[in-house]
Amino acid sequence: MTHAPSPRQQERFAFRRRQAIRSVLLAALSTVVVGVLLAVGITGSPGWPRVKQSFFNLDTATKYLPDVLEGFWLNVRLFVICAPLALVLGIVVAILRTSRGPVTFPVRVLAGGYTYTFRGLPLIITIYLFAFGLPGLRLQGTPDVVVLGAAAIVITYGAYLAEVFRAGIESVHPSQVAAARSLGLTYRQAMRHVVLPQAVRRVTPALLNDVVALQKDVGLISLAGSIDAIRAAQIGAAQSANFTPYVVAAVLFILLALPLIAITDRVTLRAIRAQNAGN
C-alpha cells in the first residue's frame, strides 16, 4: 500500500519547488545581466577594435585552425599517456614513503628526496634538463625529445600525486591495518585491499585537480621543440603577425579540459555531501 503524503508535506514540496525555480531564474537573470555588462564594457572600450583584430580575427583563425589541430593531437596523446603513468608513479612513491621498518629507511629517504626535488623544481626547467641535457650526454639509445619531455612531465607530476596519495594513506586510521593483520592478511595485502581503496576514495577530488593541471601543462612540450598546439600557434602568430592562433589553441585546451573539470566538480560535491551525511 502506497503512503500518500499529507497536505502539509505537499505544501512543503510545493514550496521547495517554487524556491528552486526562483533560484534558477534569479541565477539565470543575474548571469545575463553580468554578461551584458561585461560585453558592453569590453566592446565599448576605445581599444576594442584593435584587440578584436589582433586576437579574434576569424580569417586568421580559419587559416591556422588545421595546423593547430594537428599539433593539438600531440597534446591529447601526451595527456592520455602521461596521466596514467604519473598516477602509477605517484602511488608507488607514496607506498614507499609510508613503508615502515628500519630496512626500508633508505628507500623512504630516496622517495622523500624525489618528491622534495621535483615539487620544488619548475616544470619548465625539468623539461629543459630532460629534453636538452640528456641528449647532450650523447648516450646510445637516447629517446626522442617528445619522449624526454613526456618523461619530465610524468616525473614532475608523479611527485605531486605521490604527496596526495601519501596524505590519503596516512588519513586511514592505523586500526584498519591492525584489524586486517589480525585477520591473517600480510602488510602488503592490508595495503592493497584495505588501506589503498579508502585512501584513493578520500583523495579523488585532489587527484583529479592535479590531472586537470597536467592536462594544461602538456602544452609545455613545445619548449622541447615539438610541434604541438602551442608551437603551431606560435608559428602561425609569427607568420600572420596576429595573436589569434594562440586563442584557437586556448579554446582547444579549454574544450579538452571541460569534461574532466565537470567530473572533478561532481566528485568533489559528492564527497562533501557524503562527509556532511556522515556528520
Side-chain angles (χ1 to χ4, degrees), residues 91-101 104 108 111 162 165-170 187 191 195-196:
I91 197 167
V92 170
V93 173
I95 292 174
L96 293 178
R97 288 205 66 186
T98 55
S99 59
R100 297 291 180 263
T104 59
R108 293 199 301 272
F165 279 120
R166 185 172 72 92
I169 292 172
E170 293 182 346
Y187 178 79
M191 288 291 295
V195 177
L196 286 181

Side-chain angles (χ1 to χ4, degrees), residues 14-242:
F15 175 76
R16 290 173 183 172
R17 284 195 297 268
R18 290 195 300 269
Q19 287 294 102
I21 294 173
R22 180 173 176 272
S23 299
V24 171
L25 291 177
L26 286 176
L29 178 61
S30 62
T31 302
V32 171
V33 171
V34 172
V36 170
L37 291 176
L38 286 175
V40 171
I42 294 174
T43 58
S45 60
W48 169 246
R50 186 171 182 178
V51 171
K52 180 180 178 182
Q53 175 63 26
S54 299
F55 288 89
F56 305 101
N57 189 292
L58 184 59
D59 294 333
T60 304
T62 304
K63 179 180 179 181
Y64 290 100
L65 177 59
D67 295 335
V68 177
L69 271 175
E70 184 179 354
F72 186 66
W73 175 235
L74 174 61
N75 295 119
V76 173
R77 286 179 292 169
L78 281 174
F79 172 66
V80 171
I81 294 173
C82 291
L85 292 178
L87 287 169
V88 172
L89 178 60
I91 197 167
V92 170
V93 173
I95 292 174
L96 293 178
R97 288 205 66 186
T98 55
S99 59
R100 297 291 180 263
V103 177
T104 59
F105 176 76
V107 176
R108 293 199 301 272
V109 171
L110 291 176
Y114 158 72
T115 56
Y116 286 132
T117 299
F118 286 98
R119 286 170 64 206
L121 191 64
L123 178 56
I124 294 177
I125 296 178
T126 306
I127 291 176
Y128 280 142
L129 291 175
F130 275 66
F132 302 119
L134 292 180
L137 298 176
R138 298 181 181 181
L139 300 175
Q140 290 185 352
T142 301
D144 184 76
V145 291
V146 176
V147 178
L148 293 174
I153 295 172
V154 170
I155 290 176
T156 299
Y157 272 91
Y160 287 109
L161 295 172
E163 289 302 288
V164 175
F165 279 120
R166 185 172 72 92
I169 292 172
E170 293 182 346
S171 69
V172 178
H173 198 274
S175 61
Q176 299 277 340
V177 179
R181 296 298 297 273
S182 66
L183 294 175
L185 275 67
T186 64
Y187 178 79
R188 182 180 300 177
Q189 291 173 331
M191 288 291 295
R192 178 182 176 183
H193 299 290
V194 178
V195 177
L196 286 181
Q198 297 182 65
V200 172
R201 185 168 59 251
R202 293 180 180 182
V203 299
T204 295
L207 290 174
L208 291 175
N209 281 324
D210 282 339
V211 172
V212 171
L214 189 154
Q215 178 267 321
K216 295 183 298 181
D217 282 347
V218 293
L220 294 177
I221 196 67
S222 60
L223 298 173
S226 305
I227 307 298
D228 71 330
I230 305 299
R231 179 67 69 181
Q234 183 181 28
I235 295 172
Q239 292 176 348
S240 63
N242 194 286

